């Protein structure tokens, strides 16, 4: 039959469920559990963390776009829902499916029988550099830790909008004028 159009509340509920699933994939019980793994490659971990952040950015853009539905009704609202659903599918849902499949495939191969420890294992990458470490090794360690912190902070901010409420003091508000 013809496609059925949902409403904006259902759309937001579906986005929230997908957002939660994305974040669960990257929590300690998921990818976060591989932070100290001798078999998980640092380069893969960084790639997955960056993909996670990019998916959160796309999710935020879709959520901001959905806010434009305010004041729309009837056929205009239905047309808007059709367009925003398409944007959500292209920007968020399809890349999320690909990301989840890539993560699952890689995790399934980690530590498999006969696998060898990669040269850039997370276990080695997470160790604080020794006193004899080069500046480049220290920068790599710092880069990885900043990426992990940024990923966690960004996720927390996007999932809890109340963290950063836009309330400015009079002096701060004066800077924007």
């Amino acid at each position: 039959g013809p496609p059925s159009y949902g409403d904006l509340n259902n759309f937001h509920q579906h986005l929230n469920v997908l957002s939660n699933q994305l974040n669960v994939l990257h929590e300690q019980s998921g990818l976060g559990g591989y932070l100290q793994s001798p078999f998980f490659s640092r380069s893969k971990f960084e790639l997955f963390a960056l993909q996670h952040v990019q998916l959160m950015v796309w999710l935020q853009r879709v959520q901001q776009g959905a806010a434009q539905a305010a004041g729309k009704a009837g056929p205009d609202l239905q047309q808007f829902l059709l367009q925003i659903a398409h944007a959500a599918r292209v920007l968020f849902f399809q890349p999320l499916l690909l990301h989840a499949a890539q993560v699952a495939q890689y995790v399934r191969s980690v530590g498999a029988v006969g696998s060898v420890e990669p040269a850039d294992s997370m276990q080695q990458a997470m160790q604080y550099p020794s006193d004899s470490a080069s500046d480049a090794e220290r920068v790599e360690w710092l880069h990885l830790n900043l990426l992990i912190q940024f990923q966690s902070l960004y996720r927390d901010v996007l999932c809890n909008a109340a963290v950063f409420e836009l309330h400015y003091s009079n002096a701060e508000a004066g800077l924007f004028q």
Side-chain angles (χ1 to χ4, degrees):
S4 62
Y5 300 105
D7 60 36
L8 204 53
N9 288 333
N10 283 337
F11 181 75
H12 284 293
Q13 286 176 347
H14 288 285
L15 282 181
N16 287 335
V17 167
L18 290 172
S19 171
N20 289 336
Q21 292 302 313
L22 171 64
N23 290 324
V24 163
L25 182 64
H26 288 271
E27 286 180 355
Q28 189 63 26
S29 60
L31 275 179
Y34 291 95
L35 275 174
Q36 300 291 335
S37 172
F39 296 106
F40 207 99
S41 161
R42 173 193 173 145
S43 57
K44 277 293 190 185
F45 194 91
E46 288 176 340
L47 174 66
F48 292 152
L50 289 170
Q51 288 175 344
H52 178 218
V53 171
Q54 183 62 54
L55 284 165
M56 288 189 294
V57 168
W58 289 337
L59 171 65
Q60 183 183 29
R61 287 183 181 166
V62 170
Q63 289 171 329
Q64 288 171 342
Q68 296 175 14
K72 296 188 187 303
D76 288 341
L77 178 61
Q78 292 302 316
Q79 181 63 30
F80 178 80
L81 282 171
L82 184 64
Q83 291 169 342
I84 197 72
H86 175 73
R89 185 177 71 239
V90 171
L91 289 175
F92 183 66
F93 185 65
Q94 289 172 341
L96 174 62
L97 286 174
L98 178 62
H99 175 70
Q102 289 171 339
V103 168
Q105 181 181 13
Y106 186 76
V107 166
R108 191 173 42 247
S109 72
V110 169
V113 176
S115 63
V116 295
E117 183 175 335
D120 67 338
S121 77
M122 283 302 294
Q123 186 176 49
Q124 293 173 358
M126 291 299 292
Q127 292 175 6
Y128 189 79
S130 67
D131 291 339
S132 62
S134 69
D135 288 344
E137 291 169 331
R138 292 177 192 280
V139 168
E140 282 184 16
W141 179 85
L142 183 61
H143 169 81
L144 176 62
N145 282 277
L146 288 174
L147 174 62
I148 293 167
Q149 289 176 19
F150 176 74
Q151 176 189 18
S152 297
L153 177 66
Y154 197 70
R155 179 190 62 225
D156 292 346
V157 169
L158 286 181
C159 293
N160 184 5
V163 170
F164 292 104
E165 293 183 17
L166 297 177
H167 296 295
Y168 300 105
S169 69
N170 291 335
E172 291 169 327
L175 294 173
F176 295 115
Q177 297 176 353

